[in-house]
Amino acid sequence: PPLDAFDLIIFGGTGDLAQRKLLPALFHRYADGQITDAARIYGLARDSLDDGGYRERVRAALQKTMHDARAAEALDGFLALLRYRTIDLTSDAGWPELAGELGACDRVQVFYLAVGPDLFGHVGDRLQRHGLARPCTRVVVEKPIGRDAVSAAAINDALGRVFAESQIFRIDHYLGKETVQNLTALRFANALFEPLWNAGHIDHVQITVAETVGLERRASYYDRAGALRDMVQNHILQLLCLVAMEPPASLDADAIRDEKLKVLRALKPIDAHSAAQLTVRGQYRAGAVEGQAVPGYLDELGRTDSRTETFVALKAEIANWRWAGVPFYLRTGKRLAQRVSEIVISFRPVPHSIFGEQPLSPNKLVLRLQPDEGVTLWITNKVPGPGGLRLRNVPLDMSFAETFGGARHPDAYERLLMDVVRGNAMLFMRRDEVEAAWAWIDPIRAAWEASDDAPKPYTAGSWGPSAAVALIEREGRHWHEDA
Ligand code: BG6
């Protein structure tokens, strides 16, 4: 259904996130009729541009992501919703005019802070000073929220001085992915899994987010962040929470976030003593990804002295009743062999085998988040034929594309932006979650920084350093590979 009129004001309106994600997402919602002509969308940045110039830029960006002819027809209508205003986030220039234009608080006004986190506080203060922090105001902030627990708390304090927690939407775009939302459906809309969803029946869990891309024009950000901050602190821990949380009483935003928070707080700390056993970090060297030769990280960066990790594997444990002793093996990296994100729930073997010497493969539930979204349950079957009772592990396979048709999945940002306008915070991180995640990450970082070891090199196009394989294999387990 179409949304009521709203205003969306994007700080960083000419930036990469706005052009590559936000504006395409808004455009698709417009083309589908969810955003009406009554909406106003403002791009704000320092560049001096007028509405026309901005619309042409956005047109060029959108033409790259256009998915069908119907959408192309909607383009002019969408561009007409856009306005551009020049603004300096660290001075008052441009603000009174903006406030005048936005006018009364008679519609939802969303301010999207698609700028670096060091500017979040400034924007909050200016919004307040110019009378734009009102009941109709919502602010959206992107990760990274800080670089550690202390800086995250400072950002949250700065925003909290101006806005109520219910007005602040902290995006983790993984939560907007269809397949990630499906995890909640799978766990809580099926009677089959939940009784087995605990240490009594699950041997271990794997979460892999593998990418083939390298630095992608983000060198200055990425080299200061590294894979632990860039991916593990947010996306991967959020996935872990959704796998591990207790059933919330409802889909109420706080009911879910309370349960996720308990998981984060129950993560067993990794410290200077255990980091060497429980974590592996890597940095890619030159190699070939999907048949293309690519340079190593340091060459891409143009420096020789960086110890930033582009790969992390680690073994996490959740110290609570449900999960005691169940390892969660997590890994993520750039320039790996294949782009694939998946969660693998590996069940325990049957207690007793009646099949003699034949090895039995335990059941696995594989949730493929991207690409080729789907759910696969691996079960053991008899191989048909008159011979003996021969067993084979085979997949019960559900592909999203086959089951739900080939229609394009809305991008995560489409869902998330509409949720902000509707005021549904279910898929956004609450302050305490972000801080609890950092509290677990910080000691890992500290242990790495204190150690003399550099990240382990791996060849671009591989699955990361061999130590990441050893991390799981020395415990008699293997990283899942689709057979
Ligand atoms: C971002 C990270 O949050 O997520 C990037 O900063 C990463 O480094 C990206 O590439 C991955 O997102 P997706 O949706 O492509 O899996």
Side-chain angles (χ1 to χ4, degrees):
L3 295 173
D4 291 343
F6 66 91
D7 293 336
L8 177 69
I9 300 95
I10 307 174
F11 293 102
T14 53
D16 205 49
L17 180 71
Q19 303 284 323
R20 276 206 314 179
K21 294 287 188 185
L22 307 181
L23 289 158
L26 293 164
F27 168 61
H28 288 306
R29 292 297 88 225
Y30 176 81
D32 281 351
Q34 199 172 7
I35 297 181
T36 69
D37 290 318
R40 294 187 295 184
I41 300 171
Y42 288 84
L44 267 56
R46 263 190 314 218
D47 318 39
S48 41
L49 268 181
D50 58 11
D51 289 350
Y54 188 59
R55 289 175 184 155
E56 284 322 301
R57 268 201 206 190
V58 176
R59 181 193 297 279
L62 292 179
Q63 273 162 344
K64 291 188 200 140
T65 63
M66 202 76 76
H67 58 86
D68 61 24
R70 194 174 52 93
E73 280 168 26
L75 187 55
D76 288 327
F78 175 73
L79 293 175
L81 308 183
L82 302 185
R83 294 138 205 248
Y84 181 83
R85 298 293 174 263
T86 304
I87 207 156
D88 179 357
L89 297 182
T90 54
S91 85
D92 285 309
W95 289 87
E97 293 79 5
L98 179 69
E101 223 175 306
L102 290 177
C105 205
D106 54 2
R107 41 163 72 191
V108 170
Q109 290 180 341
V110 179
F111 294 89
Y112 200 115
L113 279 51
V115 293
D118 39 332
L119 290 170
F120 292 171
H122 286 287
V123 178
D125 291 345
R126 293 237 145 51
L127 286 172
Q128 185 170 47
R129 191 152 357 131
H130 296 282
L132 288 170
R134 303 181 283 183
C136 60
T137 305
R138 291 176 191 157
V139 287
V140 186
V141 291
E142 271 287 332
K143 64 163 266 267
I145 299 181
R147 4 190 327 104
D148 52 24
V150 172
S151 52
I155 290 172
N156 285 329
D157 283 343
L159 290 171
R161 278 193 289 274
V162 181
F163 303 106
E165 178 64 26
S166 61
Q167 293 178 286
I168 304 171
F169 291 76
R170 296 179 191 79
I171 285 221
D172 184 311
H173 78 282
Y174 267 59
L175 296 179
K177 290 185 191 272
E178 283 293 335
T179 42
V180 174
Q181 293 171 56
N182 187 43
L183 182 55
T184 304
L186 205 75
R187 278 193 65 191
F188 303 122
N190 293 288
L192 207 57
F193 300 118
E194 202 48 33
L196 303 181
W197 212 261
N198 56 55
H201 300 281
I202 292 179
D203 175 72
H204 74 280
V205 175
Q206 300 180 11
I207 302 178
T208 295
V209 178
E211 298 188 279
T212 51
V213 295
L215 271 177
E216 293 187 295
R217 293 174 291 158
R218 300 158 77 221
S220 63
Y221 155 72
Y222 192 85
D223 194 57
R224 276 171 48 76
L228 187 69
R229 289 191 180 102
D230 185 52
M231 297 295 286
V232 181
Q233 188 270 343
N234 37 79
H235 308 321
I236 293 194
L237 285 184
Q238 286 291 320
L239 296 177
L240 175 141
C241 284
L242 293 175
V243 172
M245 70 183 181
E246 294 302 312
S250 70
L251 283 184
D252 173 71
D254 279 328
I256 293 183
R257 299 190 292 184
D258 287 345
E259 297 308 334
K260 289 197 294 175
L261 180 66
K262 288 184 212 161
V263 173
L264 292 168
R265 291 197 172 146
L267 282 168
K268 212 161 148 179
I270 295 180
D271 58 18
H273 299 293
S274 53
Q277 274 74 53
L278 300 179
T279 71
V280 172
R281 61 200 158 118
Q283 192 186 68
Y284 61 83
R285 297 288 178 263
V289 178
E290 292 166 334
Q292 288 272 336
V294 297
Y297 179 74
L298 296 176
D299 279 339
E300 225 178 309
L301 192 65
R303 286 200 359 231
T304 53
D305 57 348
S306 171
R307 288 173 51 151
T308 298
E309 79 286 356
T310 61
F311 175 96
V312 190
L314 55 84
K315 175 183 166 185
E317 279 184 82
I318 302 168
N320 68 14
W321 195 284
R322 187 188 282 261
W323 295 113
V326 178
F328 283 68
Y329 298 102
L330 315 178
R331 66 177 170 164
T332 184
K334 302 269 184 208
R335 291 286 194 228
L336 296 180
Q338 202 188 330
R339 173 173 181 257
V340 56
S341 299
E342 62 188 12
I343 300 175
V344 179
I345 314 291
S346 222
F347 291 90
R348 289 188 184 280
V350 293
H352 167 70
S353 173
I354 60 172
F355 302 100
E357 298 294 290
Q358 290 194 65
L360 292 181
S361 303
N363 297 116
K364 273 185 194 179
L365 178 66
V366 180
L367 309 167
R368 175 79 92 123
L369 308 181
Q370 59 190 26
D372 314 326
E373 293 83 354
V375 180
T376 306
L377 181 63
W378 290 84
I379 58 166
T380 300
N381 253 47
K382 177 184 177 301
V383 178
L389 218 163
R390 277 201 304 125
L391 300 176
R392 190 154 96 212
N393 206 26
V394 292
L396 291 180
D397 229 339
M398 190 281 287
S399 127
F400 274 65
E402 277 169 32
T403 309
F404 300 106
R408 71 176 259 289
H409 296 310
D411 182 70
Y413 280 96
E414 295 180 42
R415 166 73 200 259
L416 295 172
L417 283 165
M418 297 301 92
D419 278 356
V420 176
V421 176
R422 282 188 289 247
N424 180 0
M426 182 173 90
L427 301 177
F428 296 83
M429 291 179 295
R430 204 168 57 192
R431 166 177 190 154
D432 46 9
E433 281 180 80
V434 174
E435 291 175 13
W438 281 121
W440 186 72
I441 292 288
D442 284 353
I444 301 178
R445 275 238 72 88
W448 289 353
E449 274 156 25
S451 115
D452 292 331
D453 302 339
K456 300 203 161 40
Y458 63 96
T459 307
S462 70
W463 282 105
S466 54
V469 177
L471 172 83
I472 187 165
E473 295 205 341
R474 66 170 174 254
E475 304 192 331
R477 302 181 176 105
H478 306 276
W479 291 110
H480 172 78
E481 280 172 53
D482 284 304

